[in-house]
Amino acid sequence: MKWLAVMLGVVVAVYAAYKLNFPTYSYRYRLEISLSVDQIVYTGSSVIEVTWECGPHVAGLAQCSPSLGGQATVMDLGSRGVVVATLYTGENVSPVPDGAVDAIWLCARAFGNRSTSEDLPKLPHLTGRRALSPDNFPRLVWFSNPADPKSAQKVTIGNVASIIDPAARFTDAFVEITQDPIVVDIAMKLPWYSALQEAQRGKGIYSESGKFQLIYRMFVGENTT
C-alpha cells in the first residue's frame, strides 16, 4: 500500500503545482433589474457566472482570459414586449459609445474590483449586494415583438421613456453574489434564439466595428452546458 500513498502524494503535488501556475477564479452573481411602466413594475433576474482562467506569470505578467455561464436577464412587459439585459454588448468597439458594460465586468465594477491581475484573486471572496450605477449598466435591448428579432432596439436609462413609453423608467438594478443554480430557459422567452444559435455557432460571428447586431452569445454564456 506504500506505493499507493506515494502515487497519491505525487498526484496531489502535481495538481497543487498546476493550480498554482494555472489558477482559476470564479464567482456567481444574480443580476436583477426592474422597469416601471404606468405604475406597474416589471422585474427580471438571472444568475451569471464569471470565470477567469490564468496561465503562469511570464516576465511579471499573467495571461488571463474570462468566460461566462448563465443567461441574459429578461423583463417581460406583456403587450409592450420584452427588455433584455444581454451578457455582451453586441458591439466590437471599445469604449462602447453609450457606455454599456459586458457581464464579465458588471458585478466586479459594482464592488470596486477592476478585474486586474492583482484584483482577480479577490473575486471569489466577494459577498453581498451592490446597486448598479448609471455608468455601470448592461446592454439593454427592447423587443417590441419577442417573436421577431428584427424588432430589436437598443435602450438606455436615458432614452427608455422616448423609445418604450413616456412613463417608462428603471426603478431598481443590482447585482448580488449567490450560489443559486444557473437556469437557462431563454429559448422559451425568445423563441428565435435557437435558430440564431444554430446559424451562428462555430462561425466566429463578430459585430462590425461601431455597429450593433444580435449575436447568440449575448443571450447564453459560452460556459453554459
Side-chain angles (χ1 to χ4, degrees):
M1 299 294 292
K2 222 179 249 190
W3 66 269
L4 183 58
V6 172
M7 288 298 296
L8 183 59
V10 171
V11 170
V12 171
V14 169
Y15 179 76
Y18 176 84
K19 294 303 290 182
L20 183 63
N21 286 283
F22 296 87
T24 297
Y25 307 107
S26 182
Y27 64 103
R28 189 175 293 185
Y29 69 91
R30 180 176 296 279
L31 170 63
E32 184 167 311
I33 302 177
S34 296
L35 176 66
S36 174
V37 184
D38 289 337
Q39 299 184 333
I40 300 175
V41 177
Y42 303 92
T43 298
S45 71
S46 65
V47 175
I48 300 166
E49 187 168 70
V50 182
T51 300
W52 285 87
E53 295 183 347
C54 300
H57 286 262
V58 178
L61 299 174
Q63 301 298 316
C64 301
S65 61
S67 58
L68 291 174
Q71 72 174 24
T73 300
V74 180
M75 288 158 275
D76 188 343
L77 310 184
S79 61
R80 290 184 174 89
V82 300
V83 173
V84 181
T86 65
L87 300 178
Y88 293 102
T89 66
E91 298 185 50
N92 188 28
V93 60
S94 181
V96 177
D98 60 11
V101 178
D102 288 344
I104 290 168
W105 316 102
L106 190 71
C107 181
R109 283 179 57 169
F111 278 84
N113 187 300
R114 299 167 300 163
S115 298
T116 60
S117 57
E118 293 81 11
D119 284 345
L120 289 180
K122 303 173 186 176
L123 290 174
H125 304 291
L126 296 177
T127 60
R129 164 177 162 171
R130 295 290 188 276
L132 296 182
S133 59
D135 62 350
N136 184 37
F137 234 73
R139 159 67 63 228
L140 300 168
V141 183
W142 176 49
F143 296 91
S144 55
N145 178 4
D148 182 7
K150 293 181 180 179
S151 69
Q153 287 183 259
K154 290 191 294 183
V155 176
T156 66
I157 295 176
N159 67 17
V160 63
S162 62
I163 292 182
I164 296 180
D165 187 280
R169 63 188 182 92
F170 290 97
T171 58
D172 197 16
F174 66 86
V175 290
E176 185 172 22
I177 301 301
T178 184
Q179 293 300 318
D180 289 349
I182 289 173
V183 176
V184 177
D185 59 0
I186 200 78
M188 298 175 60
K189 300 174 179 180
L190 303 174
W192 44 263
Y193 169 74
S194 296
L196 181 71
Q197 179 188 44
E198 184 65 26
Q200 294 183 345
R201 183 161 49 188
K203 296 184 179 178
I205 303 297
Y206 297 97
S207 295
E208 294 181 38
S209 182
K211 292 187 178 180
F212 166 76
Q213 73 177 83
L214 299 181
I215 300 172
Y216 78 103
R217 284 304 185 199
M218 295 170 65
F219 303 97
V220 176
E222 59 271 26
N223 275 355
T224 306
T225 56

